[in-house]
Amino acid sequence: MKRKKLKIILLVVILILASLYWGYQKVKRFADTSLAIGQETIFKLPSGTGRVALAGLLVRDKLIHNGRWFPWLLHLEPELAEFKAGTYRLTPGMTVRQMLKLLASGKEAQFSARFIEGSRLRDWLQVLQESKYVKHTLAGKDNAQIAVALGLPKGSSLEGRFYPDTYLYTAGTTDLALLKRSHVRMEKILQDVWNKRDTSLPYKTAEELLIMASIIEKETAVPEERTKVASVFINRLRLGMRLQTDPTVIYGMGESYTGSISRKDLETPTLYNTYVIDGLPPTPIAIPSRASLEAAANPAKTDYLYFVADGKGGHTFTTNLTSHNEAVRAYRKVQKEKNEK
């Protein structure tokens, strides 16, 4: 009788152990199962989310098919239960365990906002407005209010005061925070370039160098031409000649610019029309790159006073009006031949 009872107890123990082993294997298999995603997915884990709520979110977002084994996994591997609130990037092939390790690491997804040289502040604000994971705090604010928010003196111009680059951020970063990062970087780089400038140049302040750099940025996209373009404008400033640069006219036209400028536009006075005003315009007209800042700080030593597009992506530089007019005619000929093809 006792032997029979022992056999029953042993059988029960074996069944229990087998069940536990079976359950253990199921949990392990669940942990090693890939998430049910076929492409990169952004997952937001709200603050205060507990174990049960997380399982529900994963099922709701169809990251896992069901949460049956989820609590058991967290019991078996408690270190995976230390997840942190945030926004995370999940990738195809990532297992449930790898996902939980990511959530426990707190390494949130990085997003990017690209600010392009030669663009304007309004373009940058649009980029920020369209950035899904940026917290928008500047909507409806004008430039004066944004300047105050950045801690700049009242009446400060914002155009050109930000450094163009790709900025990484985590979800919830404010648009103001990204602008501050860009502004601080530009201030640092501008000061560095200013300190290394040719001190014989006719700039009174670093702001004037920034203005010149913005004009250079808009005039050429050919790297090796930047210092030549700078030399033309510096030579004109020294001789008291007007800069006569189209990008300043376009900037001064504001919203009335529709893609082309006429002779009337060149003759219409604005604060920025360098065909009408002497010297530099009052503020930058775009966001300059470091290359344009350095060109403005150390122009080539030339006698050039004019340049015009050559129709091949670059410019022809000349020292006198006669040669310049010839270069203009050559450009028009190239354009005519292109149009006839």
Side-chain angles (χ1 to χ4, degrees), residues 291-332:
S292 290
L293 288 167
E294 291 176 344
N298 290 281
K301 306 295 184 182
T302 76
D303 295 322
Y304 296 139
L305 292 174
Y306 304 89
F307 64 91
V308 67
D310 59 12
K312 302 173 185 176
H315 294 83
T316 300
F317 295 83
T318 51
T319 60
N320 58 78
L321 187 56
T322 300
S323 298
H324 175 65
N325 288 336
E326 291 176 359
V328 171
R329 285 192 290 271
Y331 166 71
R332 288 174 177 166

Side-chain angles (χ1 to χ4, degrees), residues 11 76 102 114 129 143 149 183 206 210 213 229 235 271-272 293 313 338:
L11 180 61
L76 281 174
L102 175 63
R114 186 184 178 204
Q129 185 63 35
N143 285 4
H183 172 66
L210 182 64
V229 170
N235 290 340
L271 292 174
Y272 292 86
L293 288 167
K338 283 183 179 179

Side-chain angles (χ1 to χ4, degrees), residues 43-242:
F43 175 68
K44 184 175 182 180
L45 181 60
S47 178
T49 303
R51 299 183 179 197
V52 175
L54 174 56
L57 288 175
L58 296 175
V59 173
R60 183 201 69 184
D61 292 350
K62 298 181 180 178
L63 299 175
I64 60 176
H65 296 299
N66 68 72
R68 177 183 178 187
W69 301 107
F70 191 77
W72 293 102
L73 173 59
L74 297 185
H75 280 298
L76 281 174
E77 301 183 38
E79 68 277 7
L80 298 179
E82 302 299 322
F83 36 81
K84 301 175 178 67
T87 302
Y88 298 89
R89 179 175 279 108
L90 308 180
T91 55
M94 178 179 283
T95 65
V96 173
R97 180 184 286 108
Q98 289 171 334
M99 175 200 65
L100 288 170
K101 284 183 176 180
L102 175 63
L103 300 187
S105 74
K107 294 179 181 178
E108 293 190 64
Q110 294 276 311
F111 304 97
S112 64
R114 186 184 178 204
F115 298 149
I116 302 172
E117 59 269 16
S119 57
R120 300 185 189 179
L121 174 63
R122 68 183 186 188
D123 301 318
W124 289 28
L125 293 176
Q126 186 65 32
V127 168
L128 293 173
Q129 185 63 35
E130 294 172 356
S131 297
K132 182 178 178 181
Y133 295 99
V134 166
K135 183 178 180 181
H136 304 294
T137 65
L138 300 177
K141 286 184 169 58
D142 59 24
N143 285 4
Q145 291 171 314
I146 295 174
V148 170
L150 287 168
L152 300 179
K154 187 176 181 180
S156 297
S157 168
L158 293 181
E159 198 71 89
R161 308 299 309 196
F162 305 92
Y163 191 74
D165 204 346
T166 298
Y167 292 87
L168 299 179
Y169 65 93
T170 54
T173 299
T174 66
D175 42 15
L176 180 61
L178 286 170
L179 282 182
K180 280 184 176 178
R181 282 169 57 188
S182 180
H183 172 66
V184 168
R185 193 170 174 201
M186 175 59 90
E187 291 297 296
K188 184 178 182 300
I189 290 173
L190 176 60
Q191 191 58 52
D192 180 57
V193 172
W194 174 255
N195 292 339
K196 296 174 182 177
R197 76 190 186 284
D198 177 350
T199 55
S200 70
L201 298 174
Y203 303 131
K204 295 184 180 66
T205 64
E207 174 75 11
E208 291 186 347
L209 186 150
L210 182 64
I211 294 170
M212 178 64 81
S214 74
I215 297 173
I216 296 167
E217 189 68 50
K218 295 301 291 184
E219 280 288 8
T220 183
V222 181
E224 57 270 23
E225 285 190 351
R226 286 191 175 101
T227 57
K228 291 181 182 180
V229 170
S231 75
V232 170
F233 293 135
I234 290 298
N235 290 340
R236 281 176 166 256
L237 286 177
R238 283 174 169 157
L239 292 173
M241 294 176 65
R242 288 176 176 165

Side-chain angles (χ1 to χ4, degrees), residues 279-292:
L280 293 164
T283 72
I285 61 170
I287 311 292
S289 61
R290 179 159 191 152
S292 290

Side-chain angles (χ1 to χ4, degrees), residues 246-262:
D246 291 357
T248 63
V249 178
I250 292 170
Y251 188 85
M253 291 172 67
E255 298 301 324
S256 66
Y257 176 68
T258 57
S260 62
I261 53 178
S262 64

